[in-house]
Coordinates of all heavy atoms in Angstrom, one line a residue:
M1 N 14.5 -2.6 8.5 CA 15.6 -3.4 8.8 C 15.4 -4.1 10.1 O 14.9 -3.6 11.1 CB 16.8 -2.4 8.9 CG 18.1 -3.1 9.2 SD 19.5 -2.0 8.9 CE 20.4 -2.1 10.4
R2 N 15.8 -5.4 10.2 CA 15.7 -6.2 11.4 C 17.0 -6.6 11.9 O 17.9 -7.0 11.2 CB 14.8 -7.5 11.1 CG 14.6 -8.3 12.3 CD 13.7 -9.4 12.1 NE 12.3 -8.9 11.7 CZ 11.3 -9.7 11.4 NH1 11.5 -11.0 11.2 NH2 10.2 -9.2 11.1
I3 N 17.2 -6.4 13.2 CA 18.4 -6.7 13.9 C 18.2 -7.5 15.2 O 17.1 -7.6 15.6 CB 19.3 -5.4 14.3 CG1 18.5 -4.5 15.2 CG2 19.6 -4.6 13.0 CD1 19.2 -3.3 15.7
T4 N 19.2 -8.0 15.7 CA 19.0 -8.8 17.0 C 19.3 -7.8 18.2 O 19.8 -6.7 18.0 CB 20.1 -9.9 17.1 OG1 21.4 -9.3 17.2 CG2 20.0 -10.9 16.0
A5 N 18.8 -8.2 19.4 CA 18.9 -7.4 20.5 C 20.5 -7.2 20.8 O 20.9 -6.2 21.3 CB 18.2 -8.0 21.7
S6 N 21.3 -8.2 20.6 CA 22.7 -8.1 20.8 C 23.3 -7.0 20.0 O 24.1 -6.2 20.4 CB 23.4 -9.4 20.6 OG 23.0 -10.4 21.4
R7 N 22.9 -6.9 18.7 CA 23.4 -5.9 17.8 C 23.0 -4.5 18.3 O 23.7 -3.6 18.2 CB 23.0 -6.2 16.4 CG 23.2 -5.0 15.5 CD 24.2 -5.3 14.3 NE 24.5 -4.1 13.6 CZ 23.9 -3.8 12.5 NH1 22.8 -4.6 12.0 NH2 24.2 -2.7 11.9
L8 N 21.7 -4.4 18.7 CA 21.2 -3.2 19.3 C 22.1 -2.8 20.4 O 22.5 -1.6 20.6 CB 19.7 -3.3 19.7 CG 19.1 -2.0 20.4 CD1 19.0 -0.9 19.4 CD2 17.8 -2.4 20.9
R9 N 22.4 -3.6 21.3 CA 23.2 -3.3 22.5 C 24.6 -2.8 22.1 O 25.1 -1.8 22.7 CB 23.3 -4.5 23.4 CG 23.9 -4.3 24.7 CD 24.0 -5.5 25.6 NE 24.1 -6.8 24.9 CZ 23.2 -7.8 25.1 NH1 22.2 -7.7 25.9 NH2 23.4 -8.9 24.4
Q10 N 25.2 -3.4 21.1 CA 26.5 -3.0 20.6 C 26.5 -1.6 20.1 O 27.4 -0.8 20.3 CB 27.0 -4.0 19.6 CG 27.4 -5.3 20.1 CD 27.7 -6.3 19.0 OE1 27.6 -5.9 17.8 NE2 28.1 -7.5 19.3
D11 N 25.5 -1.3 19.3 CA 25.5 0.0 18.5 C 24.2 0.9 18.8 O 23.7 1.5 17.9 CB 25.5 -0.3 17.1 CG 26.8 -1.0 16.6 OD1 27.8 -0.7 17.2 OD2 26.7 -1.8 15.7
I12 N 23.8 0.9 20.0 CA 22.4 1.5 20.2 C 22.4 3.0 19.8 O 21.5 3.4 19.2 CB 22.0 1.4 21.7 CG1 20.6 1.9 21.9 CG2 22.9 2.1 22.7 CD1 19.9 1.4 23.1
Y13 N 23.4 3.8 20.1 CA 23.4 5.2 19.8 C 23.4 5.4 18.2 O 22.7 6.3 17.7 CB 24.5 6.0 20.5 CG 24.3 6.0 22.0 CD1 25.2 5.3 22.8 CD2 23.2 6.6 22.5 CE1 24.9 5.3 24.2 CE2 23.0 6.6 23.9 CZ 23.8 6.0 24.7 OH 23.6 5.9 26.1
R14 N 24.2 4.6 17.6 CA 24.3 4.8 16.1 C 23.0 4.4 15.5 O 22.5 5.0 14.6 CB 25.5 3.9 15.6 CG 25.7 4.1 14.1 CD 26.7 3.2 13.5 NE 26.3 1.7 13.7 CZ 25.3 1.1 12.9 NH1 24.7 1.8 12.1 NH2 25.1 -0.1 13.1
I15 N 22.4 3.3 16.0 CA 21.1 2.8 15.4 C 20.0 3.8 15.7 O 19.2 4.1 14.8 CB 20.8 1.4 16.0 CG1 21.8 0.4 15.4 CG2 19.4 1.0 15.7 CD1 21.8 -1.0 16.1
L16 N 20.0 4.4 16.9 CA 18.9 5.3 17.2 C 19.1 6.6 16.3 O 18.1 7.2 15.8 CB 19.0 5.7 18.7 CG 18.6 4.6 19.7 CD1 18.7 5.1 21.1 CD2 17.2 4.1 19.4
D17 N 20.3 7.1 16.2 CA 20.6 8.2 15.3 C 20.1 7.9 13.9 O 19.6 8.8 13.2 CB 22.0 8.6 15.3 CG 22.4 9.2 16.7 OD1 21.5 9.7 17.4 OD2 23.7 9.3 17.0
S18 N 20.4 6.7 13.4 CA 20.0 6.3 12.1 C 18.5 6.3 11.9 O 18.0 6.9 10.8 CB 20.5 4.9 11.8 OG 20.0 4.5 10.5
V19 N 17.7 5.9 12.9 CA 16.3 5.9 12.8 C 15.8 7.4 12.7 O 15.0 7.7 11.9 CB 15.7 5.2 14.0 CG1 14.2 5.4 14.0 CG2 16.0 3.7 13.9
I20 N 16.4 8.2 13.5 CA 15.9 9.6 13.5 C 16.3 10.3 12.2 O 15.5 11.0 11.6 CB 16.6 10.4 14.7 CG1 16.0 9.9 16.0 CG2 16.4 11.9 14.6 CD1 16.7 10.3 17.3
E21 N 17.5 10.1 11.7 CA 17.9 10.7 10.5 C 17.2 10.2 9.2 O 16.8 11.0 8.3 CB 19.4 10.5 10.3 CG 20.2 11.3 11.3 CD 21.7 11.0 11.3 OE1 22.2 10.3 10.3 OE2 22.4 11.4 12.2
T22 N 17.0 8.9 9.1 CA 16.5 8.3 7.9 C 15.0 8.2 7.9 O 14.3 8.1 6.9 CB 17.1 7.0 7.6 OG1 16.7 6.0 8.6 CG2 18.6 7.0 7.4
G23 N 14.4 8.1 9.1 CA 13.0 7.9 9.2 C 12.5 6.5 9.0 O 11.4 6.2 9.0
V24 N 13.5 5.6 8.9 CA 13.2 4.1 8.7 C 13.1 3.4 10.0 O 14.1 3.4 10.8 CB 14.3 3.5 7.8 CG1 14.0 2.0 7.6 CG2 14.3 4.2 6.4
P25 N 12.0 2.8 10.4 CA 11.9 2.1 11.6 C 12.9 0.9 11.6 O 13.2 0.3 10.6 CB 10.5 1.6 11.7 CG 9.7 2.4 10.6 CD 10.8 2.8 9.6
I26 N 13.3 0.5 12.9 CA 14.1 -0.7 13.1 C 13.3 -1.7 13.8 O 12.7 -1.4 14.8 CB 15.4 -0.2 13.9 CG1 16.2 0.8 13.1 CG2 16.2 -1.5 14.2 CD1 17.0 0.2 11.9
E27 N 13.4 -2.9 13.4 CA 12.8 -4.1 14.1 C 13.9 -4.8 14.9 O 14.9 -5.1 14.3 CB 12.1 -4.9 13.1 CG 10.8 -4.3 12.5 CD 10.1 -5.2 11.6 OE1 10.6 -6.2 11.2 OE2 9.0 -4.8 11.3
I28 N 13.6 -5.1 16.1 CA 14.5 -5.9 17.0 C 13.9 -7.2 17.3 O 12.8 -7.2 17.8 CB 14.9 -5.1 18.2 CG1 15.5 -3.8 17.9 CG2 15.8 -5.8 19.1 CD1 14.7 -2.6 18.0
E29 N 14.6 -8.2 17.0 CA 14.1 -9.5 17.3 C 14.6 -10.0 18.7 O 15.9 -10.0 19.0 CB 14.5 -10.6 16.3 CG 13.8 -11.9 16.5 CD 14.1 -12.9 15.4 OE1 14.6 -12.4 14.3 OE2 13.8 -14.1 15.6
R30 N 13.7 -10.3 19.6 CA 14.1 -10.7 21.0 C 13.2 -11.8 21.4 O 12.0 -11.7 21.5 CB 14.0 -9.5 21.9 CG 14.1 -9.8 23.4 CD 15.5 -9.4 23.8 NE 15.5 -9.6 25.3 CZ 16.5 -10.2 26.0 NH1 17.5 -10.7 25.3 NH2 16.4 -10.2 27.3
Q31 N 13.8 -13.0 21.7 CA 13.0 -14.1 22.2 C 11.9 -14.5 21.3 O 10.8 -14.7 21.7 CB 12.5 -13.9 23.6 CG 13.6 -13.7 24.6 CD 13.2 -13.4 26.1 OE1 12.0 -13.2 26.3 NE2 14.1 -13.4 27.0
G32 N 12.1 -14.5 20.1 CA 11.1 -14.8 19.0 C 10.0 -13.8 18.8 O 9.1 -14.0 18.0
R33 N 10.1 -12.6 19.4 CA 9.1 -11.5 19.2 C 9.9 -10.4 18.5 O 11.0 -10.2 18.6 CB 8.6 -11.1 20.6 CG 8.1 -12.2 21.4 CD 6.7 -12.4 21.8 NE 5.8 -11.4 21.6 CZ 5.0 -11.0 22.4 NH1 5.0 -11.4 23.7 NH2 4.0 -10.1 22.2
I34 N 9.0 -9.5 17.9 CA 9.6 -8.4 17.2 C 9.1 -7.1 17.9 O 8.0 -6.9 18.2 CB 9.1 -8.3 15.7 CG1 9.5 -9.7 15.0 CG2 9.6 -7.1 15.0 CD1 10.9 -9.9 14.8
L35 N 10.1 -6.2 18.2 CA 9.9 -4.9 18.7 C 10.3 -3.9 17.7 O 11.2 -4.2 16.9 CB 10.8 -4.8 20.0 CG 10.6 -5.8 21.0 CD1 11.7 -5.7 22.1 CD2 9.2 -5.6 21.7
R36 N 9.7 -2.7 17.6 CA 10.0 -1.7 16.7 C 10.4 -0.4 17.4 O 9.8 0.0 18.3 CB 8.7 -1.4 15.8 CG 8.4 -2.6 14.9 CD 7.2 -2.2 14.0 NE 7.8 -1.5 12.9 CZ 7.2 -0.7 12.1 NH1 5.9 -0.4 12.3 NH2 7.7 -0.1 11.1
I37 N 11.4 0.2 16.8 CA 11.8 1.5 17.2 C 11.4 2.4 16.0 O 11.8 2.2 14.8 CB 13.3 1.7 17.4 CG1 13.7 0.8 18.5 CG2 13.7 3.1 17.6 CD1 15.2 0.8 18.8
V38 N 10.4 3.3 16.2 CA 9.8 4.1 15.2 C 10.2 5.6 15.3 O 10.2 6.1 16.4 CB 8.2 4.0 15.3 CG1 7.6 4.8 14.2 CG2 7.9 2.5 15.3
P39 N 10.6 6.2 14.2 CA 11.0 7.6 14.3 C 9.9 8.5 14.7 O 8.8 8.2 14.5 CB 11.5 7.9 12.9 CG 10.8 6.9 12.0 CD 10.5 5.7 12.9
P40 N 10.3 9.7 15.3 CA 9.2 10.6 15.6 C 8.5 11.1 14.4 O 9.1 11.2 13.3 CB 10.0 11.8 16.3 CG 11.4 11.6 15.8 CD 11.6 10.2 15.5
G41 N 7.3 11.5 14.5 CA 6.5 12.1 13.4 C 5.8 11.0 12.6 O 5.0 11.3 11.8
E42 N 6.1 9.7 12.7 CA 5.4 8.7 12.0 C 4.0 8.6 12.5 O 3.8 8.6 13.8 CB 6.1 7.3 12.1 CG 5.4 6.3 11.2 CD 6.2 5.0 11.1 OE1 7.4 5.1 10.7 OE2 5.7 4.0 11.4
S43 N 3.0 8.6 11.7 CA 1.6 8.7 12.1 C 1.2 7.5 12.9 O 1.7 6.4 12.5 CB 0.7 9.0 10.9 OG 0.8 8.0 10.0
S44 N 0.3 7.6 13.7 CA -0.2 6.5 14.5 C -1.4 5.9 13.6 O -1.8 6.4 12.7 CB -0.8 6.9 15.8 OG -1.9 7.8 15.7
R45 N -2.0 4.8 14.1 CA -3.1 4.2 13.4 C -4.3 5.1 13.4 O -5.0 5.1 12.4 CB -3.4 2.9 14.1 CG -2.5 1.8 13.9 CD -3.0 0.5 14.6 NE -2.0 -0.5 14.6 CZ -2.1 -1.7 15.1 NH1 -3.3 -2.0 15.6 NH2 -1.1 -2.5 15.1
T46 N -4.5 5.8 14.5 CA -5.7 6.7 14.6 C -5.6 7.9 13.7 O -6.5 8.5 13.3 CB -6.0 7.1 16.0 OG1 -4.8 7.7 16.6 CG2 -6.3 5.8 16.9
A47 N -4.3 8.2 13.3 CA -4.1 9.5 12.5 C -4.8 9.3 11.1 O -5.1 10.3 10.4 CB -2.7 9.8 12.4
A48 N -4.8 8.1 10.6 CA -5.3 7.8 9.3 C -6.9 7.8 9.3 O -7.5 7.6 8.2 CB -4.8 6.5 8.8
L49 N -7.5 7.8 10.4 CA -9.0 7.7 10.4 C -9.6 9.0 9.8 O -9.1 10.1 9.9 CB -9.5 7.6 11.9 CG -9.1 6.3 12.5 CD1 -9.6 6.3 14.0 CD2 -9.7 5.0 11.8
T50 N -10.7 8.8 9.2 CA -11.5 9.9 8.6 C -12.4 10.5 9.6 O -13.2 9.8 10.3 CB -12.3 9.4 7.4 OG1 -11.4 8.8 6.5 CG2 -13.0 10.6 6.7
R51 N -12.4 11.8 9.7 CA -13.3 12.5 10.7 C -14.7 12.4 10.2 O -15.0 12.5 9.0 CB -12.9 14.0 10.8 CG -13.7 14.7 11.8 CD -13.1 16.1 12.0 NE -13.7 16.8 13.1 CZ -13.4 16.7 14.3 NH1 -12.3 16.0 14.6 NH2 -13.9 17.4 15.3
R52 N -15.6 12.0 11.0 CA -17.0 11.8 10.7 C -17.9 12.7 11.5 O -17.5 13.1 12.6 CB -17.4 10.4 11.1 CG -16.6 9.3 10.4 CD -17.0 9.1 9.0 NE -16.2 8.0 8.5 CZ -16.1 7.7 7.2 NH1 -16.7 8.4 6.4 NH2 -15.4 6.7 6.8
E53 N -19.1 13.0 11.0 CA -20.1 13.7 11.6 C -20.7 12.8 12.7 O -20.7 11.6 12.5 CB -21.2 14.2 10.7 CG -20.7 15.2 9.7 CD -20.2 16.5 10.3 OE1 -20.8 17.0 11.2 OE2 -19.2 17.0 9.8
Y54 N -21.2 13.3 13.8 CA -21.9 12.5 14.8 C -23.1 13.2 15.2 O -23.4 14.4 14.9 CB -20.9 12.3 15.9 CG -20.5 13.5 16.7 CD1 -21.3 14.0 17.7 CD2 -19.5 14.3 16.3 CE1 -21.0 15.1 18.4 CE2 -19.2 15.5 16.9 CZ -19.9 15.9 18.0 OH -19.6 17.0 18.6
L55 N -24.0 12.4 15.8 CA -25.2 13.0 16.4 C -25.0 13.7 17.7 O -24.4 13.0 18.6 CB -26.2 11.8 16.6 CG -26.7 11.1 15.4 CD1 -27.5 9.9 15.7 CD2 -27.5 12.0 14.4
N56 N -25.3 14.9 17.8 CA -25.2 15.7 19.0 C -26.5 15.7 19.7 O -27.3 16.7 19.6 CB -24.7 17.1 18.7 CG -24.3 17.8 19.9 OD1 -24.2 17.3 20.9 ND2 -24.1 19.2 19.8
T57 N -26.8 14.6 20.4 CA -28.1 14.5 21.1 C -27.9 13.6 22.3 O -26.9 12.9 22.5 CB -29.1 13.9 20.1 OG1 -30.4 13.8 20.7 CG2 -28.8 12.5 19.7
E58 N -28.9 13.5 23.1 CA -28.9 12.7 24.2 C -29.3 11.3 23.8 O -30.1 11.0 23.0 CB -29.9 13.2 25.3 CG -29.6 14.6 25.8 CD -28.3 14.5 26.7 OE1 -28.1 13.6 27.4 OE2 -27.5 15.5 26.5
P59 N -28.6 10.3 24.5 CA -29.0 8.9 24.1 C -30.4 8.5 24.3 O -31.0 7.8 23.6 CB -28.1 8.1 25.1 CG -26.9 9.0 25.4 CD -27.5 10.3 25.3
E60 N -31.0 9.1 25.3 CA -32.4 8.8 25.6 C -33.3 9.2 24.4 O -34.3 8.6 24.2 CB -32.8 9.5 26.9 CG -34.2 9.1 27.4 CD -34.2 7.7 27.9 OE1 -33.2 7.1 28.2 OE2 -35.3 7.1 27.9
D61 N -32.9 10.3 23.7 CA -33.8 10.8 22.5 C -33.7 9.7 21.5 O -34.7 9.5 20.7 CB -33.2 12.1 22.0 CG -33.3 13.2 23.0 OD1 -34.3 13.1 23.9 OD2 -32.6 14.2 22.9
L62 N -32.6 9.0 21.3 CA -32.5 8.0 20.2 C -33.3 6.7 20.6 O -33.9 6.1 19.6 CB -31.0 7.6 20.1 CG -30.1 8.7 19.5 CD1 -28.7 8.2 19.5 CD2 -30.5 9.1 18.1
V63 N -33.4 6.4 21.8 CA -34.2 5.3 22.2 C -35.7 5.4 21.8 O -36.3 4.4 21.5 CB -34.0 5.0 23.7 CG1 -35.0 3.9 24.3 CG2 -32.6 4.7 24.1
H64 N -36.2 6.6 21.9 CA -37.6 6.8 21.7 C -37.9 7.2 20.2 O -39.0 7.7 19.9 CB -38.1 7.8 22.7 CG -38.0 7.3 24.1 ND1 -38.7 6.3 24.6 CD2 -37.2 7.8 25.1 CE1 -38.4 6.1 25.9 NE2 -37.5 7.0 26.2
L65 N -37.0 7.1 19.3 CA -37.3 7.5 17.9 C -38.1 6.3 17.3 O -37.9 5.2 17.6 CB -36.0 7.6 17.1 CG -35.2 8.9 17.2 CD1 -34.0 8.8 16.5 CD2 -36.1 10.1 16.8
D66 N -39.0 6.7 16.3 CA -39.8 5.7 15.6 C -39.0 5.3 14.3 O -38.9 6.1 13.4 CB -41.2 6.3 15.2 CG -42.1 5.2 14.5 OD1 -41.8 4.0 14.7 OD2 -43.0 5.7 13.8
W67 N -38.5 4.1 14.4 CA -37.7 3.5 13.2 C -38.5 2.6 12.4 O -38.0 2.0 11.5 CB -36.5 2.7 13.8 CG -35.5 3.6 14.4 CD1 -35.4 3.9 15.8 CD2 -34.4 4.4 13.8 NE1 -34.3 4.7 16.0 CE2 -33.7 5.1 14.8 CE3 -34.1 4.6 12.5 CZ2 -32.7 5.9 14.6 CZ3 -33.0 5.4 12.2 CH2 -32.3 6.0 13.3
S68 N -39.8 2.5 12.6 CA -40.6 1.5 11.9 C -40.7 1.8 10.4 O -40.8 0.9 9.6 CB -42.0 1.5 12.4 OG -42.6 2.8 12.3
A69 N -40.6 3.0 9.9 CA -40.6 3.3 8.5 C -39.2 2.9 7.8 O -39.2 2.6 6.6 CB -40.8 4.8 8.3
E70 N -38.2 2.8 8.6 CA -36.8 2.4 8.1 C -36.6 0.9 8.1 O -35.7 0.4 7.5 CB -35.7 3.1 8.8 CG -35.8 4.6 8.9 CD -35.6 5.2 7.5 OE1 -34.8 4.6 6.8 OE2 -36.2 6.2 7.2
W71 N -37.4 0.2 8.9 CA -37.1 -1.3 9.2 C -37.6 -2.1 8.0 O -38.6 -2.0 7.4 CB -37.8 -1.7 10.4 CG -37.8 -3.1 10.7 CD1 -38.7 -4.1 10.5 CD2 -36.6 -3.8 11.2 NE1 -38.2 -5.3 10.8 CE2 -36.9 -5.1 11.3 CE3 -35.3 -3.4 11.6 CZ2 -36.0 -6.1 11.7 CZ3 -34.5 -4.3 12.0 CH2 -34.8 -5.7 12.1
R72 N -36.7 -3.0 7.5 CA -37.0 -3.9 6.5 C -36.5 -5.3 7.0 O -35.4 -5.4 7.5 CB -36.3 -3.6 5.2 CG -36.7 -2.3 4.6 CD -36.1 -2.1 3.3 NE -36.4 -0.8 2.7 CZ -35.6 0.2 2.7 NH1 -34.3 0.1 3.0 NH2 -36.0 1.4 2.2
E73 N -37.3 -6.3 6.7 CA -37.0 -7.6 7.1 C -36.0 -8.3 6.1 O -36.0 -8.0 4.9 CB -38.1 -8.6 7.3 CG -38.9 -8.1 8.5 CD -39.9 -9.1 8.9 OE1 -39.7 -10.4 8.6 OE2 -41.0 -8.7 9.4

C-alpha cells in the first residue's frame, strides 16, 4: 500500500500497528521518492543467499598453483 507523508503523519500509530499485525509493508511517497516501512521478521536480501563452500587456505597458496592444465583459450 502506498500513502503520502501527510497521511502517515495523521495516522502514524494506526499505520505502524497495521504493518506489524498484517505483515504488509507500507510505502510512503515523499518528494518524489519512495520509503518503505517493513514489518519485523521480513527477510533481508542476504537471507536468501545460498550457503557455499569456500577454500580454507592462504591467498599466497592460490597464487602459486599451476593452472596450466585448466587453461583453455
Side-chain angles (χ1 to χ4, degrees):
M1 180 167 127
R2 185 174 290 177
I3 61 173
T4 64
S6 297
R7 169 117 186 267
L8 175 67
R9 185 176 35 234
Q10 290 171 356
D11 297 326
I12 189 164
Y13 294 113
R14 187 187 59 74
I15 291 169
L16 293 177
D17 289 341
S18 172
V19 170
I20 291 170
E21 290 171 10
T22 64
V24 177
I26 298 289
E27 293 182 341
I28 298 101
E29 187 172 347
R30 170 101 171 134
Q31 297 177 352
R33 310 245 350 233
I34 302 298
L35 305 163
R36 293 186 81 202
I37 297 177
V38 181
E42 187 168 302
S43 62
S44 66
R45 289 183 190 180
T46 57
L49 295 176
T50 304
R51 187 170 184 88
R52 305 283 185 192
E53 295 294 322
Y54 63 94
L55 295 174
N56 189 9
T57 186
E58 295 295 319
E60 191 65 25
D61 295 338
L62 294 175
V63 171
H64 298 292
L65 284 176
D66 181 20
W67 292 95
S68 59
E70 302 293 325
W71 176 255
R72 293 187 188 108
E73 289 192 33

